[in-house]
Amino acid sequence: MSRGADAAVGMMDTAYFVGRVELLDFFNNLLGLQLSKIEQTASGAVACQLTEYIFPGSIPMTKVNWEAKSDYEFVNNYKLLQKAFSAHKVQRHVDVDKLIRAKYK
């Protein structure tokens, strides 16, 4: 989303406040996943798959670690994500420390 789109929607718009169930349904339906808890997205693998869906060919999915269980394993997935963002000039800060702790508030 560009700055213009952010301004048009507004940071307090309801579009920025989506429930966990809605997010899980979105990921499961769009990407063919079977996530049951939002914390399962902490590894960054879902973010990589979503980015690959939006920008086909941007992330080598064979390098995504779907079995990652620890913070240090998650970081490699986020590096792949950041590389794809840079390649497509997506200028968004990804707070990896917060995401890998699965604390979404």
Side-chain angles (χ1 to χ4, degrees), residues 42 71 74-75 78 93-103:
D71 295 0
F74 298 168
V75 171
Y78 285 104
H93 172 72
V94 178
D95 191 348
V96 175
D97 290 332
K98 187 175 181 180
L99 293 172
I100 63 177
R101 285 184 269 132
K103 302 294 180 193

Side-chain angles (χ1 to χ4, degrees), residues 42-74:
S43 72
V46 174
C48 287
Q49 190 173 6
L50 183 60
T51 302
E52 177 63 17
Y53 180 87
I54 296 167
F55 301 112
S58 63
I59 294 182
M61 292 304 291
T62 56
K63 292 187 177 184
V64 175
N65 185 353
W66 284 93
E67 303 299 320
K69 301 283 185 223
S70 303
D71 295 0
Y72 69 90
E73 294 175 309
F74 298 168

Side-chain angles (χ1 to χ4, degrees), residues 71-86:
D71 295 0
Y72 69 90
E73 294 175 309
F74 298 168
V75 171
N76 288 328
N77 288 341
Y78 285 104
K79 286 182 181 178
L80 292 170
L81 182 68
Q82 193 61 56
K83 186 175 180 182
F85 279 8
S86 295

